[in-house]
Amino acid sequence: MINARFVRFYKALLVVFIIPALFLPAALPARAQGGTVEVRTYGIDYAAFPNVCLRLAAVTANGTQPADLSAEAFQVYENGEARPATSVTKDYAGIQVAIVLDASGSFNKPSVVDKTNRRFDDAIQALDELVLAKGQWLQQDRLLDQMLLIAPTGPDTFKIALPDGKWTTEPVSMHNNAYVLDPVNSDTPLYKMLVEAMVRMKDLPDYQQRAKFLLVLSDGVDRTSAQDVTDVINRANSLGVKILSVKIGPEAKGDSLKRMAEETSAEGRPEWAYTNYAGPASLAPLYSAIKAQAEQYLVCYRSKINQAGPQNIEVGVRIGGQESKSRSLTVAIAPKPPAVRITVPGEGTVYDRVASSYDQDPATIEPREQPVTVEVSWPDNFSRGIQRVIYEVDGAAVANLTPEEAFTWDFSRLPAGIHSLRAVVRDELGLEGRSDPIQTTIAITIPPAPTPAPTPTPRPPTFWEQVRRLPGEQPVLLVVLLVALIAAALALYALIRLLRNPTAREAMTTTVVGMVRDATEVFRPKRTGGKESAGAALVPIVDDAGSLGDPIPIRAQSVSIGRDPARAQIVFSDKSVSRLHSRIVEEADNDFVIHDEGSSSGTYVNEERVEFQPKKLKAGDLIEFGRVKVRFQLQGSAPPLPTETNVDDVTEPFVGRR
């Protein structure tokens, strides 16, 4: 038979070395990849996608974090692509610590620090140092730290030594409930208490979003098997719990406490996670790690994910020229293209373009353009930036604009018929959303050209017919002929006299010259057709005080007024004046009316709008073309007086009438 002691030896060897070797690689928390620190991620928030924020800590070999790191020290890797951090902040997030007060019978013995106290008093002092030392380790004012206290009640029983058996954020409650405990006069169920601490870690819904610690205050006597210790270590590593061990008393070596501290340390260095209690100063390495890991970095960046499915995210921290990376986080984000809709113009809009004459350039026929309004929404509920807005007419791009730029559709050169308008929006992720095409109709009406009447070929008038017409048709020519005949007769008479008498010849010459001069000075030709001067004028009002400018004469029977010199005889350059705004017609002598030519701002006479029927004008009437104001003046009437100054007129800016 095989020796029983030999069998027990190999069983122990199997439990202590072989089984832990199988579980250890999977059990250890993710280490820093190729770096000097361990980058621990506690959560990711993509509710404001594409702005994504991660909570993390950069833990050094002694369990603390480096001094404040800037944004340049962080790099986010999104499916392997580097993304710079846009903001980095550091804040106190709190920790989650379960304290196992393993108060066995040895806790009744005298303290090795102060012989007047019990070792149980040392354990209470170690607990108080963590939870009550104001401003030293935990923050008592913010109450963000979650604490749990577990203590034995017998060799196989224990209890949650807090009201209702729940986690607390009150440090005083931890002290009070620990202070009233008594050590048990037997062994303790340490393994059960450690497992219960692991189970209770999940009681808090946000347990994954903070650093977790299991603080064991024990005499170090190994009451658990190696297999039980391995189970505790595996549970701790799977939850990301760091075990900190404080040995109270000198009796035992505390191998199990050391092993738990060592194998739940990502760095494999237990010296800072295990200590023999020798007063509050001996706890500083442990509690410094707790304090440091209670603070977290919030690292935010701008994501470029534009495809649905699992996304792998890592965070790199560069310290001293060497980068350490976190383990890869897998999140599911499903961005969708933006939803685009054209709100103006509406579906089925018809643009009636009517020319004012048969020879008008179709490009100048109103209306010629339409401002376009686009509405963008986000089906995935992730609002984000827009890079470009592209407008297409009949399938061809006509504008590629930024979202800040307004688009006005110019259809002045499109032929009559049905045309489609579409908007394409490209967001910051490169996703494009396309609106449904809007169908619009352009109708162009041009009046027919006038038919010229046939002109008969005239018969040339005879000489005597031309002579008879002279008095009625060309009176000036008749006067000229008569003067010429008289001059010729006088010249003949003078010639005869000159031939006979030199003295007379000289006198006749003087007489003829004087007669010719007299006839020439008396002659005044009259204008044929039209008036001698303008019968009316427009006098501009140049300022809010009613000051008047130089009159603008109306020199034709019909005068057009507008902003376009090619279409108007009287031109005002103000943008509120339409290209062809109004027309003034003289229907009879000094009888003038004004027409509105479909202007945008309207034409007003004495503050009354000119509608479809023309309005008769009187001397002194106030006429408004948009912001331009004038007074109507008739020939022979007194010039219009300056308008009365009014506070409202002076201070109120022009607002177009509707």
Side-chain angles (χ1 to χ4, degrees):
M1 294 180 61
I2 300 176
N3 189 289
R5 294 181 60 187
F6 183 77
V7 172
R8 285 197 301 271
F9 171 78
Y10 277 98
K11 283 184 178 181
L13 183 66
L14 179 67
V15 170
V16 174
F17 294 103
I18 305 300
I19 293 179
L22 294 175
F23 284 98
L24 187 57
L28 289 176
R31 295 174 180 265
Q33 301 177 17
T36 59
V37 301
E38 178 193 0
V39 182
R40 299 178 182 177
T41 53
Y42 292 111
I44 181 169
D45 180 9
Y46 54 88
F49 181 85
N51 189 61
V52 180
C53 295
L54 299 102
R55 286 195 169 275
L56 56 94
V59 183
T60 62
N62 61 3
T64 61
Q65 294 199 71
D68 291 344
L69 300 174
S70 64
E72 289 74 18
F74 294 89
Q75 187 81 278
V76 180
Y77 295 89
E78 194 174 69
N79 298 322
E81 295 290 333
R83 307 277 185 247
T86 56
S87 67
V88 172
T89 57
K90 191 177 183 182
D91 192 19
Y92 191 90
I95 52 94
Q96 186 173 343
V97 56
I99 300 178
V100 174
L101 186 57
D102 186 25
S104 65
S106 67
F107 273 38
N108 286 318
K109 294 181 179 181
S111 167
V112 296
V113 179
D114 184 354
K115 299 299 183 180
T116 60
N117 291 331
R118 296 179 302 165
R119 296 176 189 176
F120 181 79
D121 298 325
D122 291 344
I124 298 300
Q125 188 176 17
L127 183 149
D128 288 347
E129 173 67 14
L130 175 64
V131 302
L132 292 182
K134 190 173 182 61
Q136 186 70 20
W137 311 116
L138 303 184
Q139 292 190 4
Q140 283 80 16
D141 53 344
R142 298 180 66 180
L143 300 182
L144 297 177
D145 303 294
Q146 294 284 352
M147 296 168 285
L148 189 71
L149 180 61
I150 302 177
T153 57
D156 294 312
T157 58
F158 62 90
K159 69 177 179 177
I160 306 298
L162 289 173
D164 301 325
K166 296 181 179 180
W167 291 81
T168 182
T169 59
E170 296 289 344
V172 175
S173 178
M174 288 287 291
H175 166 79
N176 292 340
N177 286 278
Y179 186 77
V180 298
L181 294 174
D182 288 319
V184 296
N185 294 318
S186 64
D187 290 338
T188 59
L190 179 59
Y191 170 70
K192 292 182 179 180
M193 290 190 290
L194 295 175
V195 170
E196 179 67 14
M198 301 297 177
V199 172
R200 298 299 294 270
M201 286 286 179
K202 295 184 178 180
D203 286 353
L204 301 177
D206 58 348
Y207 77 98
Q208 292 180 321
Q209 299 178 13
R210 67 183 76 205
K212 295 172 285 294
F213 296 92
L214 175 54
L215 178 62
V216 183
L217 304 176
S218 175
D219 59 8
V221 176
D222 288 335
R223 302 180 181 89
T224 57
S225 67
Q227 184 175 0
D228 290 341
V229 172
T230 300
D231 179 63
V232 170
I233 292 171
N234 290 339
R235 289 173 183 265
N237 286 331
S238 66
L239 292 172
V241 176
K242 174 62 187 159
I243 298 178
L244 307 177
S245 301
V246 178
K247 188 169 77 71
I248 307 293
E251 278 80 1
K253 294 181 179 180
D255 290 341
S256 295
L257 296 181
K258 288 182 180 179
R259 182 183 167 203
M260 287 188 293
E262 176 182 358
E263 296 185 15
T264 58
S265 170
E267 301 78 22
R269 297 176 61 185
E271 59 267 21
W272 65 269
Y274 169 83
T275 187
N276 286 299
Y277 182 74
S282 63
L283 303 172
L286 285 72
Y287 292 177
S288 294
I290 293 176
K291 177 182 179 179
Q293 295 182 40
E295 293 182 320
Q296 295 179 8
Y297 286 97
L298 182 66
V299 179
C300 298
Y301 75 101
R302 204 72 179 171
S303 174
K304 296 295 183 183
I305 295 173
N306 58 13
Q307 293 182 347
Q311 316 293 335
N312 295 320
I313 299 175
E314 298 173 291
V315 183
V317 179
R318 184 171 295 277
I319 300 175
Q322 188 172 7
E323 185 180 51
S324 303
K325 287 185 179 181
S326 71
R327 64 179 180 178
S328 178
L329 297 178
T330 301
V331 296
I333 303 175
K336 298 179 181 179
V340 185
R341 185 172 71 93
I342 295 177
T343 57
V344 177
E347 176 70 24
T349 300
V350 177
Y351 299 100
D352 287 317
R353 308 183 65 208
V354 181
S356 59
S357 63
Y358 73 94
D359 57 350
Q360 183 179 354
D361 182 0
T364 64
I365 302 174
E366 298 290 345
R368 300 189 302 168
E369 56 189 24
Q370 170 67 62
V372 178
T373 304
V374 175
E375 180 182 88
V376 179
S377 58
W378 306 99
D380 54 14
N381 294 322
F382 296 137
S383 179
R384 49 193 179 268
I386 297 174
Q387 287 186 337
R388 308 295 296 180
V389 182
I390 303 167
Y391 296 91
E392 299 177 350
V393 175
D394 298 334
V398 296
N400 189 332
L401 307 175
T402 64
E404 293 79 18
E405 295 177 288
F407 174 63
T408 299
W409 178 26
D410 182 359
F411 49 77
S412 61
R413 298 192 179 278
L414 289 179
I418 298 176
H419 299 275
S420 67
L421 175 65
R422 183 195 296 271
V424 181
V425 172
R426 184 182 304 136
D427 66 19
E428 64 176 282
L429 302 179
L431 298 175
E432 287 189 354
R434 304 172 66 86
S435 72
D436 292 332
I438 297 296
Q439 302 293 331
T440 61
T441 301
I442 297 177
I444 302 176
T445 303
I446 299 177
T451 303
T455 304
T457 303
R459 178 180 61 83
T462 64
F463 173 75
W464 295 110
E465 287 177 341
Q466 292 180 4
V467 172
R468 286 195 299 270
R469 294 174 183 172
L470 284 177
E473 296 181 359
Q474 301 186 28
V476 175
L477 181 57
L478 179 60
V479 172
V480 172
L481 288 175
L482 290 176
V483 172
L485 289 174
I486 295 172
L490 293 175
L492 181 61
Y493 171 75
L495 180 61
I496 295 172
R497 292 287 303 272
L498 287 173
L499 293 175
R500 292 182 179 181
N501 189 339
T503 304
R505 183 173 59 244
E506 183 180 355
M508 182 57 68
T509 301
T510 303
T511 302
V512 171
V513 172
M515 291 178 65
V516 172
R517 182 184 296 113
D518 293 340
T520 302
E521 290 175 354
V522 171
F523 175 69
R524 293 290 187 271
K526 296 183 178 180
R527 291 187 176 178
T528 59
K531 299 179 181 180
E532 289 289 330
S533 60
L538 300 179
V539 183
I541 298 174
V542 298
D543 55 30
D544 293 341
S547 301
L548 302 177
D550 295 331
I552 303 172
I554 299 175
R555 297 187 180 279
Q557 183 184 3
S558 177
V559 174
S560 297
I561 300 161
R563 194 176 77 247
D564 188 351
R567 306 176 65 183
Q569 286 79 44
I570 296 178
V571 178
F572 295 106
S573 59
D574 193 283
K575 288 292 186 180
S576 64
V577 179
S578 296
R579 292 177 174 86
L580 179 59
H581 200 104
S582 304
R583 181 165 47 91
I584 296 178
V585 178
E586 184 178 12
E587 295 184 338
D589 288 344
N590 287 339
D591 188 3
F592 291 85
V593 295
I594 187 168
H595 299 257
D596 183 79
E597 295 293 340
S599 63
S600 300
S601 301
T603 303
Y604 295 82
V605 177
N606 297 328
E607 299 186 353
E608 292 186 4
R609 184 162 186 162
V610 178
E611 302 293 350
F612 300 103
Q613 297 298 324
K615 192 170 186 66
K616 190 171 182 179
L617 296 176
K618 304 185 299 296
D621 281 350
L622 173 63
I623 307 175
E624 297 177 73
F625 311 107
R627 283 187 289 266
V628 176
K629 299 180 181 181
V630 299
R631 290 284 182 182
F632 181 71
Q633 177 181 335
L634 286 174
Q635 184 179 17
S637 65
L641 295 175
T643 57
E644 182 180 349
T645 302
N646 184 284
V647 174
D648 294 334
D649 294 337
V650 173
T651 58
E652 180 180 359
F654 170 76
V655 178
R657 296 177 174 85
R658 296 288 182 267

